[in-house]
């Protein structure tokens, strides 16, 4: 679809100050994700530190580089099990966190779509709010039974399904608080997309960027590629082509986003995963040695 020569030329001509700004904005974008999960956990009575949750969030982003369907966002809960216990609460809270993230993303997409006159995109985002909201409201026990069975088969851990259900559902005040944090986070993330498009010399309204964000991020979640690399890029090329942005410019902008929002946090998470593994090994050794220590 895109000439490599035109693509590399677009990257060379991109505004490097914008790219630096996008990279800097990545930090609060990731911190907002961690804050949302931390908020849900602490409101549920689970005492966790913001530092450890941020650590697990980066690790989840590293796992997204090797696991399809953004599964790293769920697997990250394993690292919090190891530190704090509460395995059901940790797992359920990551899924609740994901549901809140989707609802806020769709809400912003609907608002952005209506603001820029893209009614079809706005309606699609508004409709998608319904199933995401129902997941939080309606307790579907058989799905949790399947999840508990999978965890038992893979990790050899037994899960209390009733506790999973209770931990997943949240009070209205907790939901609205998490929604506020999530909206702030998505606004920062969407700003990264807007600045990436602007950095390559293309001109797209902020409202349109918000309108297409739900479609792009849903594609990143589907198990057809790693973190949506390739598939999400192709979709962005199509969606921005509708408003007249040339294909090579869109792909260049998408690659900038992939590097700053996916690859760099993933590398940070990989380093933290290695550090975390060493810490866990030390903890196991000390635990084994403890009975022999004369205090």
């Amino acid at each position: 679809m895109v000439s490599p020569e035109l693509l590399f030329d677009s990257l060379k001509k991109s505004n490097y100050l914008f790219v630096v700004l996008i990279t800097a904005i990545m930090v609060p974008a990731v911190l907002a994700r961690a804050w949302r999960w931390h908020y849900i956990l602490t409101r549920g009575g689970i005492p966790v530190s913001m530092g450890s949750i941020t650590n697990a969030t980066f690790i989840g982003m590293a796992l997204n580089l090797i696991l399809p369907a953004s599964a790293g966002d769920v697997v990250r809960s394993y690292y919090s099990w190891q530190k704090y216990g509460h395995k059901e609460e940790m797992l359920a809270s990551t899924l609740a966190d994901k549901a809140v993230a989707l609802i806020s993303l769709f809400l912003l997409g609907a608002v952005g779509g209506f603001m820029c006159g893209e009614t079809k995109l706005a309606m699609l985002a508004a409709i998608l709010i319904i199933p995401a909201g129902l997941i939080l409201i309606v307790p579907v026990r058989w799905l949790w039974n399947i999840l508990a069975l999978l965890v038992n088969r893979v990790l050899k851990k037994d899960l209390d399904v009733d506790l999973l259900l209770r931990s997943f559902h949240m009070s209205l005040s907790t939901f609205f608080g998490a929604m506020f944090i999530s909206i702030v986070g998505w606004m920062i993330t969407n700003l990264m997309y807007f600045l990436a498009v602007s950095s390559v010399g293309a001109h797209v309204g902020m409202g349109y960027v918000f309108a297409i964000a739900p479609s792009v991020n849903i594609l990143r979640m589907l198990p057809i590629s790693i973190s949506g690399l390739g598939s999400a890029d192709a979709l962005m090329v199509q969606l921005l082509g509708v408003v007249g942005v040339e294909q090579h410019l869109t792909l260049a902008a998408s690659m900038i986003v992939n590097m700053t929002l996916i690859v760099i946090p993933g590398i940070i998470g990989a380093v933290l995963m290695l550090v975390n593994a060493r810490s866990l090994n030390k903890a196991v050794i000390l635990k084994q040695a403890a009975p022999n220590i004369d205090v």
Side-chain angles (χ1 to χ4, degrees), residues 165-183:
L165 278 167
R166 288 198 303 271
S167 302
F168 179 73
H169 297 286
M170 62 188 77
S171 66
L172 277 177
S173 60
T174 300
F175 170 75
F176 285 119
M179 277 289 291
F180 171 77
I181 297 169
S182 192
I183 287 172

Side-chain angles (χ1 to χ4, degrees), residues 4-152:
E5 291 78 13
L6 287 175
L7 172 62
F8 293 136
D9 186 58
S10 299
L11 288 170
K12 288 178 183 177
K13 293 180 179 178
S14 62
N15 188 318
Y16 294 147
L17 289 177
F18 274 26
V19 175
V20 171
L21 180 58
I22 294 165
T23 306
I25 289 175
M26 174 272 292
V27 176
V30 176
L31 288 177
R33 298 184 188 187
W35 181 21
R36 183 181 61 214
W37 185 24
H38 177 267
Y39 178 82
I40 291 172
L41 280 168
T42 53
R43 291 282 294 186
I46 307 299
V48 292
S49 72
M50 184 64 185
S52 64
I53 293 301
T54 302
N55 179 76
T57 299
F58 272 110
I59 288 174
M61 298 182 79
L63 293 171
N64 281 339
L65 294 175
I66 58 175
L67 298 175
S70 297
D73 291 339
V74 177
V75 179
R76 62 180 173 163
S77 65
Y78 172 80
Y79 290 88
S80 296
W81 294 4
Q82 301 300 310
K83 186 174 180 64
Y84 295 104
H86 303 286
K87 58 182 183 294
E88 288 87 358
E89 292 91 336
M90 292 297 179
L91 179 56
S93 66
T94 59
L95 296 171
D97 175 73
K98 197 73 172 177
V100 170
L102 289 175
I103 293 170
S104 54
L105 172 65
F106 299 150
L107 178 62
L108 286 173
V111 172
F114 284 123
M115 286 180 62
C116 69
E118 292 291 337
T119 308
K120 290 183 179 179
L121 289 174
M123 290 300 296
L124 173 63
I127 290 170
L128 288 172
I129 293 174
I130 298 173
L134 287 175
I135 289 172
L136 276 177
I137 297 171
V138 180
V140 186
R141 187 181 178 85
W142 63 270
L143 285 175
W144 293 98
N145 286 329
I146 293 174
L147 177 62
L149 180 62
L150 287 173
V151 171
N152 180 265

